[in-house]
């Protein structure tokens, strides 16, 4: 069965520090992978997505993610975190074939210390 | 574009009452998704539509939940009768393709439902 695991429920980093949010997926075919961000009281916004090509994907707001098939991972990174990055981050997996169904991880809440 | 519009933003009701949540997808989008978000279960897909037709409703928790999409610009999610365990944030999302997995889903701001 398809699944997404975000091992870290809550992460705190200092402003200016680097960030890595982990995501592991289970999917039998070619996965399509997404990272979304949710600010308090808001809907989800797409940060980046991967479905083919270069395994290092650039997104909005200075985020990037690297797809590693051997590790079934799609970790999100940012070299220098800003206070405005405090939010909840969701990794999601969809699949080839015309289903449109996304499976979301439980989310990681990011807190940024001044 | 105004984005995905949901109403109401907040709903407080009593157990046993009917609740109707509304969604207007982005104009020109062909697929619409309803999600439920709770602390315990995270973000769950309830149902989705392609060209106004329900494709997969396997996530709908039980018969008390129903969803319709009478036209390309409007969808409803109804709970009748509502129960306290239905308290959650309900999101609507839409995308351009016919449920293509590579398309970006655009989310509305959500409806926070509280059932007393």
């Amino acid at each position: 069965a398809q699944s997404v695991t975000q091992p870290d429920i809550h992460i705190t980093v200092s402003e200016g520090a680097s960030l890595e949010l982990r995501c592991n997926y289970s999917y039998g075919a070619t996965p399509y992978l997404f990272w979304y961000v949710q600010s308090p009281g808001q809907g989800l916004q797409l940060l980046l997505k991967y479905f083919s090509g270069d395994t290092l994907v650039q997104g909005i707001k200075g985020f990037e993610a690297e797809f590693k098939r051997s590790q079934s991972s799609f970790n999100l990174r940012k070299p220098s975190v800003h206070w405005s990055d405090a939010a909840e981050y969701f990794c999601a997996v969809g699949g080839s074939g015309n289903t449109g169904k996304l499976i979301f991880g439980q989310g990681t809440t990011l807190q940024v210390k001044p | 574009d105004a984005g995905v519009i949901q109403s109401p933003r907040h709903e407080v009701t009593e157990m046993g009452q009917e609740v109707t949540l509304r969604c207007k997808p982005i104009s020109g989008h062909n697929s619409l998704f309803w999600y439920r978000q709770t602390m315990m279960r995270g973000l769950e897909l309830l149902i989705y539509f392609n060209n106004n037709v329900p494709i997969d409703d396997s996530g709908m928790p039980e018969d008390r939940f129903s969803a319709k999409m009478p036209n390309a610009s409007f969808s409803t999610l109804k709970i009748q009768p509502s129960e306290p365990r239905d308290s959650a944030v309900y999101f609507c999302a839409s995308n351009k393709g016919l449920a293509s997995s590579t398309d970006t889903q655009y989310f509305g701001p959500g409806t926070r439902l509280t059932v007393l």
Side-chain angles (χ1 to χ4, degrees):
Chain A
Q2 303 165 31
S3 67
V4 177
T5 302
Q6 293 180 244
D8 305 306
I9 296 173
H10 192 277
I11 281 185
T12 301
V13 300
S14 298
E15 190 168 17
S18 64
L19 171 70
E20 182 169 33
L21 302 182
R22 295 183 291 165
C23 172
N24 294 99
Y25 67 89
S26 173
Y27 193 76
T30 304
Y32 298 155
L33 296 159
F34 304 78
W35 274 101
Y36 281 84
V37 61
Q38 183 181 26
S39 298
Q42 303 295 315
L44 279 70
Q45 179 186 20
L46 181 73
L47 284 175
L48 47 80
K49 60 184 177 182
Y50 169 82
F51 39 90
S52 66
D54 193 343
T55 57
L56 185 62
V57 181
Q58 301 298 319
I60 62 171
K61 305 185 181 187
F63 285 92
E64 66 178 26
E66 186 170 14
F67 170 59
K68 292 185 178 179
R69 186 185 296 276
S70 62
Q71 298 177 19
S72 298
S73 70
F74 189 57
N75 295 348
L76 182 71
R77 299 193 295 249
K78 186 169 184 178
S80 177
V81 169
H82 188 262
W83 63 266
S84 61
D85 294 324
E88 190 159 17
Y89 292 80
F90 292 91
C91 182
V93 64
S96 57
N98 219 18
T99 68
K101 194 169 182 174
L102 293 182
I103 307 298
F104 283 85
Q106 285 292 94
T108 297
T109 299
L110 173 65
Q111 184 178 1
V112 180
K113 292 191 302 185
Chain B
D1 199 314
V4 176
I5 298 172
Q6 292 187 247
S7 64
R9 292 293 308 275
H10 301 274
E11 176 81 32
V12 180
T13 191
E14 292 189 345
M15 183 173 63
Q17 296 299 304
E18 177 180 295
V19 174
T20 299
L21 311 181
R22 297 172 177 80
C23 175
K24 177 178 169 54
I26 292 173
S27 178
H29 281 195
N30 297 302
S31 297
L32 183 140
F33 306 79
W34 281 102
Y35 292 89
R36 178 174 67 176
Q37 185 178 40
T38 60
M39 289 293 292
M40 291 298 296
R41 301 176 66 90
L43 197 62
E44 305 171 278
L45 177 66
L46 300 177
I47 185 171
Y48 74 91
F49 296 82
N50 287 170
N51 284 343
N52 316 335
V53 175
I55 301 301
D56 184 347
D57 65 355
S58 59
M60 295 286 263
E62 48 198 275
D63 292 345
R64 297 184 297 106
F65 285 70
S66 63
K68 294 182 179 179
M69 192 164 186
N71 58 61
S73 59
F74 183 66
S75 177
T76 59
L77 178 67
K78 186 176 293 186
I79 309 172
Q80 166 63 18
S82 58
E83 297 182 3
R85 61 192 166 121
D86 302 330
S87 298
V89 180
Y90 292 81
F91 288 103
C92 176
S94 68
N95 74 13
K96 192 177 298 185
L98 289 175
S100 167
S101 294
T102 64
D103 280 350
T104 299
Q105 290 188 20
Y106 293 86
F107 283 73
T111 294
R112 181 173 296 276
L113 173 64
T114 303
V115 183
L116 303 174

